[in-house]
Amino acid sequence: MELEIEGARREHLAGVRDLFMREGWRSYAADQERTWRALSAPGTIALVARQRGRVVGVAQTLSDGEIQAFLTVLLIAEEHRGAGVGRTLLERIAHRTPGVRLDLISCADGFYGALGMRRVSGFRLSRERGAE
Ligand SMILES: CC(C)(COP(=O)(O)OP(=O)(O)OC[C@H]1O[C@@H](n2cnc3c(N)ncnc32)[C@H](O)[C@@H]1OP(=O)(O)O)[C@@H](O)C(=O)NCCC(=O)NCCS
């Protein structure tokens, strides 16, 4: 099935939020306007994957434009997993993101390992109660 990868636009927002809600990513699901501000913030790139017009995946990176970049979001709809959508979306956004390295906090070690990424240790300070 044809997979379209494109820059996230406001018209994709309802589909993107649905992905976050279904995955229980509350920080992103709680407030659509806040999520849009986050996804369209300066220094970020956000892409969506669509099949038959429906949003089936979303990814976002944050970069200093020169050296360091972070993968801040990667989420594929559950029923579309295991079909290469995550790999395609990550490869596309990594290609478009400036910087010489891309770091991330993983909750899918096997996936990133399968893509040949090197494991390093990471930490997170959460500022929202109950945040994922
Ligand atoms: C992790 C996630 C993005 C993977 O997306 P996907 O579309 O299912 O992955 P792909 O089909 O592109 O898989 C690419 C490769 O990774 C492997 N892979 C995918 N998920 C894996 C997992 N959980 N464990 C081990 N390997 C995995 C696949 O077997 C495939 O390997 P291959 O190319 O050698 O056959 C998706 O499962 C997801 O959205 N999960 C919930 C949210 C999440 O954890 N996001 C990551 C935030 S850190």
Side-chain angles (χ1 to χ4, degrees):
M1 206 183 306
E2 185 79 11
L3 185 70
E4 295 172 86
I5 309 275
E6 56 191 314
R9 298 193 302 273
R10 190 176 262 281
E11 69 203 62
H12 301 136
L13 190 52
V16 167
R17 184 166 180 244
D18 187 54
L19 292 181
F20 289 134
M21 287 180 76
R22 288 197 285 150
E23 195 64 20
W25 286 12
R26 283 180 286 181
S27 299
Y28 283 95
D31 179 337
Q32 190 161 299
E33 286 306 310
R34 180 195 193 207
T35 296
W36 178 246
R37 289 195 300 276
L39 291 178
S40 58
T44 68
I45 295 173
L47 300 181
V48 295
R50 297 197 305 150
Q51 271 183 351
R52 292 197 182 124
R54 188 179 155 229
V55 175
V56 299
V58 58
Q60 185 195 33
T61 55
L62 172 60
S63 173
D64 63 19
E66 296 291 342
I67 299 168
Q68 182 69 53
F70 288 92
L71 181 72
T72 44
V73 171
L74 180 63
L75 178 58
I76 309 302
E78 194 166 11
E79 63 276 22
H80 290 268
R81 291 176 194 167
V85 180
R87 175 193 287 274
T88 303
L89 203 43
L90 182 56
E91 287 175 350
R92 293 281 187 92
I93 203 160
H95 181 71
R96 286 181 54 164
T97 300
V100 296
R101 57 185 182 232
L102 180 69
D103 290 343
L104 58 95
I105 298 287
S106 171
C107 40
D109 289 7
F111 168 73
Y112 296 110
L115 269 60
M117 296 183 77
R118 183 167 59 90
R119 182 193 295 267
V120 294
S121 179
F123 294 88
R124 171 170 291 166
L125 174 66
S126 285
R127 297 182 192 278
E128 284 185 325
R129 187 181 291 272
E132 62 282 347

